[in-house]
Amino acid sequence: MSHLRFKQIEIALNREPFDVKPPHPDPTVYFGQHVFDQKKMATYLPRDAYEELTAAIKGKRAIGRELADVVAQGMKKWAMDNGATHYTHWFHPLTDGTAEKHDSFIDLDDEKGIITDFSGKLLIQQEPDASSFPSGGLRNTFEARGYTAWDISSPAFIHNGALCIPTIFIAYSGESLDYKTPLLRALNCIDRAGTKVARLFDPQVQHVISYLGWEQEYFLIDEALFAARPDLVMTGRTLMGHESAKNQQLDDHYFGSIPMRVQRFMEDLEIECYQLGIPLKTKHNEVAPNQFELAPIYEEANLSNDHNLLLMKVMAQVARRHKFRAILHEKPFAGINGSGKHNNWSLGTDTGVQLFKPGKTPMQNLQFIAFIAATMAAVHKHNDLVKASIATANNTHRLGANEAPPAIISIFLGRQLSKVIDQITGHQQADGQIMFSAKEGLNLQMAQIPEILLDNTDRNRTSPFAFTGNRFEFRAVGSSANCASAMIVLNTIVADQLNAFHQAVTAHLEQGDTLEQAVMEQVQQLLTQAKPIHFDGNGYSEQWPQEAASRGLDTENSVPRMIDAYSTPKALALFERTHVFSQAEIKARSEVKWETYCKKIHIEASVIADLTQNHILPVAIRYQNILLDNVLKLKALGKQSSTSPVNVTIEHIAENITGIDEHQRLLAQAIEHAMAQPDSRLQAFAFASLVVPHIDAIRHHVDALELLVDDEMWPLPKYRELLFIR
Ligand code: ADP
Ligand code: MG
């Protein structure tokens, strides 16, 4: 009998919500309390040091040793005043998480004995032995040192009693080993390229800033039930489990009332995030049972991404406090929606203009259209790379499955913007209006854009990349991913396109064209070129993959093969031109991606094999024996019949047991075959095409058994028990 399962269900059912008390009723009082922000800098640093540091942050300049020493002293004082005893460089290795190594502030001094110390040297740079982080062969173990260096654009903060200093992480030889380094390069790149283009319209512009607002989806599962599911514990997702009779068909969870226990968890999380300066704004139920979402106010992309990584960590801790586990896996449950992390992305100038927002004057609208055209052209040209940026083993289940988004990158524009673009490219004469060309009629139509876009209400949830009024929403990003991967590619390709745009426009200007003529000429060209990427239709439809292929879009749906997009000649040239990745870095990162893919699938294969062998088969056989016993007894009474329901059930159980047995054997062979491949790329291909199908087949048989075997005996909490928090 499955005592554990029922015991855990009982524990989960009897939980009470925890009380949560905010430090103050007004969140503005404690917002950023744990962050060494401008206000704290002003208090804890001498005036000239404060001014020098804020100027360096604003101008994105590195700081010298002397200033670093002063800043370190101030930071230490503030941190210790606020209960911190340790400090750590906080960085983002090529895993989907963060890394830290805590050192105490204490030191020994010849005269005074024990003291506390924190030097500028320790603040700005460290050399952790980081040989066990993935490096894709970039760092041999004999050169195990990596450097971490302070990213002054992201403020230090206190978490778990440690002063955390956001840093980049690079190899001894200079190659990046993290997400932050290339993200900062890409952001720098789009700043320079965007500024050049924006200055055509307004010479006051000094910087273009890339913004990110993520929407984090997640599931909550009661801790007791989670513990009784080894697959969730080991892989972050359920590898078996039949759909419950009721899941999301009734659409009654989305925006529904939030259960009290969850409500308390969310309040607690919000408080901690506010203290850490993470501006959470929205929280609600998502489509699937037990699925939720939260989103902050958007911020500059680097900071926003740091905040997302921090949030994922804080979320895990707060969830435990409330006896939940936060599940960030992209597809924890079959048959219901998975989790994503929409990346709302936009560009803006330091003069306060949102570049993806239609403006008030024809000139501003020309600029708006120029940036839209550049983005469309970039995503069109590099649609394979954009997809590769979000391709992971976890996200596989969301790509090309029956839920958003399909494994094809296309751009949704909405009715109004589509109309404007069709007019510009002359493909459609909408509403009998006069089409306008580069040379004429520009002002009139451009002036109409703001009005047209006012009711941008038509939304298309099946699009992986959608224009939503003042930004693009990249929806294919996975819930557990580091957003940097997507943000690096997106900002780099658009920066590259903006550079080309600027060059072409400048050439026209030199030939005596007006700015309007030169820009419109380019805009028309780009929009015409990029036309195949524009798709406002239903991304779920059966025709779309075929149509997309005929448009020349990348329709590859095997994750390991998608990763090849990083090393096409086109992509390598892009990264070299923009200095975002060296060839060696691309090679190493692709290596890491394939290795990670293999490891994840390998673990899933081992877990499902063990679980099936040790948990499922014994129970199925035991139940089958009970039934056989029954048949024997009936036979003794002379009442047997081979078509009786008992006999049919015995048959079905036997079929599934045989099926499991067969696929277990094939699975083992497939793994062996995959592991024997000469490199990680081919290994990943083999895991995807040979191993995964057997994992799926075993699951199919186990799920069938779940319906056949006596509920009393079933060892694992079922979907209906996991998924409905009361
Ligand atoms: P929805 O679910 O309708 O897409 P949400 O309110 O859940 O909207 O999330 C929208 C996200 O987009 C938020 O993080 C918000 O701050 C962000 N956002 C809004 N405007 C911009 C913008 N101009 N640039 C980047 N992100 C933005
Ligand atoms: Mg959204």
Side-chain angles (χ1 to χ4, degrees):
M1 284 296 137
S2 170
H3 297 299
L4 179 67
R5 173 174 148 225
F6 292 109
K7 215 175 103 199
Q8 302 298 77
I9 292 172
E10 201 180 323
I11 294 173
L13 282 177
N14 287 325
R15 292 224 203 264
E16 293 293 332
F18 288 147
D19 263 351
V20 174
K21 272 207 189 64
H24 193 278
D26 176 1
T28 60
V29 172
Y30 60 91
F31 188 88
Q33 193 178 8
H34 296 162
V35 183
F36 193 64
D37 53 19
Q38 288 241 344
K39 228 164 70 197
K40 272 84 147 203
M41 286 178 197
T43 319
Y44 280 86
L45 299 181
R47 179 150 190 121
D48 45 345
Y50 166 76
E51 273 166 12
E52 221 181 307
L53 180 62
T54 44
I57 292 171
K58 202 156 166 250
K60 301 182 179 175
R61 288 193 308 271
I63 61 167
R65 227 350 244 295
E66 236 170 84
L67 177 59
D69 275 332
V70 181
V71 175
Q73 284 315 308
M75 242 188 218
K76 187 197 80 176
K77 174 89 171 63
W78 167 75
M80 291 185 64
D81 283 354
N82 286 277
T85 52
H86 289 65
Y87 64 90
T88 177
H89 276 197
W90 183 76
F91 56 100
H92 316 152
L94 298 175
T95 57
D96 285 330
T98 56
E100 51 203 81
K101 163 178 148 270
H102 293 198
D103 283 311
S104 168
F105 283 127
I106 64 160
D107 211 342
L108 288 178
D109 180 271
D110 290 347
E111 291 139 36
K112 289 181 257 172
I114 202 136
I115 55 159
T116 60
D117 194 24
F118 185 48
S119 68
K121 186 164 163 274
L122 291 172
L123 167 65
I124 52 181
Q125 189 168 311
Q126 290 191 15
E127 293 182 22
D129 170 8
S131 49
S132 39
F133 292 111
S135 78
L138 271 182
R139 195 196 41 235
N140 301 320
T141 25
F142 61 83
E143 240 181 35
R145 274 178 307 170
Y147 284 116
T148 53
W150 184 24
D151 163 22
I152 60 171
S153 61
S154 183
F157 56 90
I158 297 172
H159 190 234
N160 293 342
L163 170 68
C164 301
I165 299 141
T167 56
I168 57 165
F169 178 40
I170 50 182
Y172 194 66
S173 46
E175 282 97 0
S176 62
L177 293 172
D178 66 345
Y179 283 108
K180 198 189 249 294
T181 309
L183 177 62
L184 290 173
R185 289 180 193 152
L187 293 175
N188 195 10
C189 204
I190 197 135
D191 180 0
R192 278 179 286 130
T195 303
K196 272 196 293 191
V197 174
R199 282 171 70 95
L200 293 171
F201 300 91
D202 175 8
Q204 300 293 318
V205 173
Q206 299 291 334
H207 287 291
V208 162
I209 304 124
S210 173
Y211 294 104
L212 166 64
W214 37 265
E215 300 164 51
Q216 179 74 55
E217 292 182 335
Y218 62 98
F219 280 84
L220 286 176
I221 301 296
D222 186 273
E223 185 176 87
L225 297 169
F226 175 87
R229 289 289 311 220
D231 47 356
L232 267 179
V233 175
M234 308 291 287
T235 70
R237 76 178 182 109
T238 56
L239 297 172
M240 45 187 67
H242 202 281
E243 279 178 47
S244 57
K246 171 183 183 295
N247 46 46
Q248 63 190 43
Q249 315 89 320
L250 300 177
D251 284 330
D252 51 359
H253 190 66
Y254 193 55
F255 284 11
S257 70
I258 302 173
M260 198 43 86
R261 262 184 82 198
V262 177
Q263 179 86 29
R264 292 282 185 266
F265 156 79
M266 286 176 167
E267 284 165 21
D268 209 359
L269 178 61
E270 211 164 60
I271 292 167
E272 245 187 72
C273 284
Y274 286 169
Q275 287 172 322
L276 287 163
I278 306 173
L280 292 188
K281 173 88 176 157
T282 312
K283 54 185 181 201
H284 60 76
N285 285 359
E286 256 306 322
V287 174
N290 279 25
Q291 193 186 28
F292 307 94
E293 175 184 303
L294 49 82
I297 299 168
Y298 68 94
E299 299 173 287
E300 180 274 311
N302 176 43
L303 180 63
S304 178
N305 189 44
D306 280 358
H307 280 164
N308 180 247
L309 290 161
L310 187 53
L311 167 102
M312 290 196 281
K313 199 173 149 204
V314 173
M315 185 188 256
Q317 285 186 355
V318 176
R320 280 177 184 230
R321 204 145 72 214
H322 291 256
K323 307 286 182 203
F324 285 128
R325 287 304 161 98
I327 312 280
L328 290 174
H329 194 289
E330 281 71 3
K331 191 71 183 176
F333 303 98
I336 56 175
N337 278 13
S339 301
K341 181 152 53 197
H342 296 179
N343 277 203
N344 293 269
W345 171 78
S346 70
L347 296 174
T349 66
D350 59 344
T351 54
V353 175
Q354 293 193 54
L355 292 161
F356 293 136
K357 195 176 168 182
K360 290 193 176 59
T361 65
M363 223 23 158
Q364 284 171 351
N365 283 328
L366 189 60
Q367 172 167 265
F368 160 74
I369 284 292
F371 276 87
I372 294 280
T375 304
M376 290 182 65
V379 174
H380 173 240
K381 184 170 175 197
H382 296 287
N383 69 89
D384 55 342
L385 188 58
V386 170
K387 187 164 68 181
S389 76
I390 50 93
T392 62
N394 289 6
N395 213 8
T396 311
H397 312 278
R398 290 176 67 243
L399 295 168
N402 304 328
E403 77 181 74
I408 299 164
I409 299 296
S410 62
I411 300 185
F412 170 85
L413 294 176
R415 205 158 19 90
Q416 295 88 350
L417 187 54
S418 297
K419 204 164 103 183
V420 171
I421 282 174
D422 282 346
Q423 284 181 334
I424 294 175
T425 51
H427 286 285
Q428 192 195 335
Q429 200 165 342
D431 304 344
Q433 281 184 9
I434 306 155
M435 293 176 289
F436 56 105
S437 74
K439 309 280 178 204
E440 60 191 352
L442 162 72
N443 290 355
L444 184 67
Q445 266 78 8
M446 279 300 172
Q448 288 173 351
I449 295 178
E451 253 181 285
I452 295 173
L453 287 183
L454 266 183
D455 77 321
N456 183 55
T457 46
D458 51 338
R459 288 214 164 187
N460 180 335
R461 288 278 157 193
T462 70
S463 175
F465 201 95
F467 178 71
T468 48
N470 60 355
R471 61 188 188 269
F472 285 95
E473 197 171 323
F474 187 15
R475 302 200 181 113
V477 182
S479 49
S480 70
N482 185 324
C483 303
S485 184
M487 287 294 112
I488 291 164
V489 165
L490 194 54
N491 286 293
T492 304
I493 61 173
V494 175
D496 190 54
Q497 187 59 65
L498 288 170
N499 278 331
F501 182 89
H502 179 260
Q503 204 177 9
V505 168
T506 313
H508 275 281
L509 292 177
E510 277 162 10
Q511 284 163 18
D513 279 5
T514 66
L515 183 63
E516 285 95 322
Q517 286 168 340
V519 170
M520 272 313 278
E521 168 82 35
Q522 274 307 296
V523 161
Q524 277 185 326
Q525 201 179 316
L526 290 181
L527 290 176
T528 308
Q529 244 172 49
K531 193 146 182 52
I533 198 75
H534 176 202
F535 178 62
D536 278 10
N538 179 5
Y540 295 163
S541 75
E542 277 171 35
Q543 297 85 352
W544 173 230
Q546 287 154 25
E547 190 189 326
S550 73
R551 290 179 180 205
L553 300 178
D554 178 62
T555 56
E556 178 61 64
N557 58 21
S558 157
V559 160
R561 287 179 193 275
M562 289 177 198
I563 293 162
D564 277 339
Y566 275 97
S567 26
T568 59
K570 179 183 67 171
L572 290 176
L574 164 82
F575 289 127
E576 199 173 315
R577 267 199 307 276
T578 51
H579 303 289
V580 169
F581 286 124
S582 68
Q583 279 218 22
E585 285 173 324
I586 288 294
K587 190 164 172 288
R589 269 156 209 269
S590 304
E591 198 70 18
V592 171
K593 283 175 197 273
W594 284 313
E595 276 170 18
T596 309
Y597 183 90
C598 293
K599 282 182 194 154
K600 290 217 164 149
I601 304 296
H602 199 165
I603 293 171
E604 288 189 357
S606 307
V607 171
I608 200 168
D610 291 355
L611 262 185
T612 309
Q613 192 65 32
N614 304 327
H615 288 67
I616 307 301
L617 286 180
V619 171
I621 292 167
R622 208 181 321 144
Y623 183 58
Q624 194 188 34
N625 274 335
I626 295 175
L627 298 182
L628 285 167
D629 203 39
N630 174 269
V631 170
L632 281 181
K633 286 173 180 156
L634 286 173
K635 205 171 178 182
L637 292 174
K639 292 191 172 180
Q640 97 273 28
S641 132
S642 62
T643 56
S644 78
V646 182
N647 277 304
V648 173
T649 308
I650 292 172
E651 262 320 297
H652 284 160
I653 292 177
E655 280 160 21
N656 286 303
I657 290 177
T658 311
I660 287 174
D661 189 54
E662 251 169 51
H663 285 288
Q664 295 269 48
R665 257 184 312 108
L666 294 170
L667 179 68
Q669 282 169 16
I671 292 173
E672 209 171 299
H673 181 81
M675 299 298 280
Q677 298 302 308
D679 59 46
S680 60
R681 175 172 174 270
L682 293 175
Q683 282 179 11
F685 288 6
F687 268 103
S689 62
L690 302 176
V691 176
V692 169
H694 296 300
I695 296 180
D696 293 346
I698 294 173
R699 179 193 184 128
H700 173 81
H701 289 297
V702 172
D703 290 357
L705 285 172
E706 187 184 316
L707 291 187
L708 293 167
V709 171
D710 182 2
D711 183 62
E712 284 273 312
M713 298 171 73
W714 195 254
L716 305 176
K718 296 184 171 180
Y719 271 21
R720 62 165 188 261
E721 292 147 3
L722 291 169
L723 282 173
F724 294 89
I725 293 175
R726 269 141 284 239

